[in-house]
Amino acid sequence: MDVLPGGAVSINHVRSRFPFAPRSIWKGVPDSQWNDWHWQQRERVTTLEQLDQVVRLTDDERRAVVEADAQFHMGITPYYAALMDPEDPTCPVRLQSVPTMGELNFTAADLEDPLAEERDMPVPGITHRYPDRVLFYTTHNCPVYCRHCTRKRKVADPSSAAAKKQIEESLAYIELHTEIRDVVVSGGDPLSLSDDRLDYILGRLRAIPHVEIFRLGTRNLVTLPQRITDDLVQMLRKHQPVYVNTHFNHPRECTGEAFDAARRLADGGCVIGNQMVLLKGINDDPRTVKELNHRLLMMRIRPYYIYQCDLARGISHFRTPIETGRRIIRSLRGHTSGMAVPYFVVDAPNGGGKIPVNPDYVVRHEGKRWVLRNFAGKEFTYDEP
Ligand code: SF4
């Protein structure tokens, strides 16, 4: 990394490996609009007629766009829509954003609230499950409504919006509970809020003496990187330490725009982690995950979790066997940088929380003798002194 005068850093030597997204039908749109996140929000693809202009739809997609809407709206920013392959219905970006009839296939295992987030809700808007941290819902909006979303029950639904009163009651709860040192600011996507609104919420949190850190759970780096403006980063600088957990699922999402957004956040002092969801047909193979994680590390984003796709209603077509995740971790551990190896977890139904299900490298253990297997399958003995 080159250090420039004034202490700024240049990572242009890796930046050149991240081409800008194509602009598809928006080729004629001036940069001033394309790079304006308000324009991107306003121009979202929400109807069959609009989508028809962007990709060659299959019959299944065409039916699903109409029929699945009642369950979960469609919304795709022009930026993310332009990443889709117009000819290939198995395109990973398309599968994440365009409805398919699989969404209407409900199974007996499906759950409305798969992580029991509503059950552990002492006040509306706060999930308090673990002793020292809470999940804080601030909005029901997202730039793109991901077809695999675990919070389909409330995301995109205006009746679930976090009104001012709810935000104030949530802040009051956090103020009262001195054991809370870590707040996950979530939604929907909290970057759907204006800078001023977010500044107010983060400022209130920062003023609470027992709150040490907060994390922003946002997919804007992936679906609307234009949202990461200099003004936003300046505002976040005031509230450090700020952790940002984002959600890249495929290397195709690692564009020049996403790289620049991550660069702005990292230069602004944010520590960025990625939470990938394992999705059938999108990233359920070791090569894709390795490439994704390598690209993320170049973007200064640390792969943090791989989630087993949960039991939310209407996402059974995305689920993979747990063994798929373990196989992917086995293919990474020791075969590439340890930093590119996230934890594979099952967020257990009924509020069990995140449980690691990583491969086991302990062959056996007798007294002080541990027989261990390395990444290449060779066994080694460690005798505890
Ligand atoms: S950004 Fe997150 S909360 Fe929003 S639709 Fe996608 S997965 Fe759901």
Side-chain angles (χ1 to χ4, degrees):
M1 199 175 285
D2 309 321
V3 178
L4 302 174
V9 291
S10 162
I11 48 174
N12 290 338
H13 45 287
V14 289
R15 170 65 182 79
S16 57
R17 299 188 204 178
F18 292 76
F20 285 121
R23 292 208 187 166
S24 181
I25 61 163
W26 295 276
K27 273 198 182 69
V29 171
D31 286 356
S32 57
Q33 285 187 328
W34 184 257
N35 295 325
D36 174 0
W37 70 276
H38 297 286
W39 180 88
Q40 290 277 345
Q41 284 271 26
R42 257 196 326 271
E43 297 298 317
R44 287 193 309 171
V45 176
T46 57
T47 66
L48 181 61
E49 292 70 33
Q50 292 170 311
L51 188 61
D52 233 347
Q53 295 171 37
V54 188
V55 295
R56 191 196 302 271
L57 287 165
T58 63
D59 291 344
D60 180 276
E61 288 171 322
R62 200 173 284 283
R63 266 185 69 202
V65 169
V66 176
E67 293 181 30
D69 190 65
Q71 306 290 332
F72 191 51
H73 294 315
M74 179 179 73
I76 316 172
T77 54
Y79 163 79
Y80 200 65
L83 289 180
M84 295 191 289
D85 185 327
E87 302 297 334
D88 181 7
T90 68
C91 160
V93 172
R94 191 157 155 178
L95 286 174
Q96 290 182 71
S97 51
V98 173
T100 58
M101 289 304 284
E103 289 183 29
L104 295 171
N105 179 24
F106 304 129
T107 72
D110 289 353
L111 298 168
E112 182 71 13
D113 177 13
L115 311 180
E117 290 172 329
E118 311 286 331
R119 194 198 60 195
D120 291 336
M121 202 170 259
V123 293
I126 291 282
T127 294
H128 194 174
R129 169 165 306 146
Y130 303 102
D132 64 347
R133 53 208 186 274
V134 290
L135 191 64
F136 180 8
Y137 303 91
T138 54
T139 172
H140 68 293
N141 277 322
C142 301
V144 169
Y145 295 126
C146 314
R147 307 323 298 175
H148 56 276
C149 181
T150 187
R151 293 204 189 113
K152 281 186 172 185
R153 66 185 186 280
K154 53 205 295 179
V155 169
D157 173 8
S159 69
S160 74
K164 210 168 168 205
K165 181 167 171 284
Q166 181 178 310
I167 299 270
E168 291 303 320
E169 285 170 359
S170 299
L171 288 166
Y173 179 87
I174 298 168
E175 269 164 350
L176 199 63
H177 287 261
T178 53
E179 71 276 23
I180 298 169
R181 42 162 288 284
D182 176 5
V183 178
V184 181
V185 181
S186 184
D189 196 312
L191 294 192
S192 301
L193 300 171
S194 69
D195 287 0
D196 285 348
R197 189 71 186 132
L198 203 53
D199 188 25
Y200 170 77
I201 292 172
L202 299 185
R204 285 283 306 274
L205 288 173
R206 191 43 80 217
I208 301 173
H210 52 269
V211 173
E212 297 171 1
I213 57 168
F214 34 75
R215 310 182 234 176
L216 290 174
T218 177
R219 212 180 178 209
N220 269 262
L221 277 106
V222 185
T223 55
L224 180 55
Q226 295 83 355
R227 175 67 184 94
I228 315 299
T229 60
D230 290 336
D231 286 349
L232 173 75
V233 172
Q234 272 309 108
M235 183 272 283
L236 294 177
R237 271 182 191 276
K238 290 193 303 189
H239 303 295
Q240 294 290 352
V242 176
Y243 290 76
V244 173
N245 281 337
T246 190
H247 176 176
F248 285 85
N249 283 330
H250 193 276
R252 197 181 179 108
E253 298 168 332
C254 300
T255 62
E257 287 90 339
F259 186 100
D260 290 342
R263 166 153 68 178
R264 284 192 286 277
L265 279 177
D267 285 352
C270 297
V271 180
I272 317 172
N274 190 59
Q275 309 191 149
M276 185 197 107
V277 179
L278 196 49
L279 298 168
K280 191 189 286 176
I282 294 176
N283 55 19
D284 57 338
D285 71 279
R287 232 187 44 201
T288 302
V289 178
K290 193 198 264 187
E291 187 190 339
L292 171 65
N293 291 353
H294 286 173
R295 289 182 76 74
L296 291 173
L297 287 176
M298 284 189 277
M299 295 163 75
R300 288 187 277 171
I301 301 175
R302 172 83 197 266
Y304 174 36
Y305 277 133
I306 294 180
Y307 284 102
Q308 171 72 5
C309 184
D310 65 38
L311 299 176
R313 277 182 94 223
I315 63 171
S316 59
H317 54 300
F318 286 124
R319 276 179 218 133
T320 55
I322 287 182
E323 190 48 35
T324 304
R326 286 163 58 93
R327 185 166 53 86
I328 288 172
I329 299 295
R330 265 197 301 274
S331 76
L332 296 175
R333 171 65 63 203
H335 296 276
T336 191
S337 326
M339 286 188 305
V341 188
Y343 286 104
F344 175 44
V345 293
V346 174
D347 213 335
N350 299 314
K354 297 175 194 69
I355 301 174
V357 280
N358 292 290
D360 197 354
Y361 293 93
V362 178
V363 180
R364 56 185 179 277
H365 165 216
E366 291 147 7
K368 291 191 163 195
R369 169 156 289 196
W370 293 76
V371 180
L372 310 172
R373 185 181 295 116
N374 79 352
F375 74 100
K378 290 191 179 146
E379 290 187 10
F380 295 85
T381 301
Y382 179 85
D383 287 315
E384 287 177 309

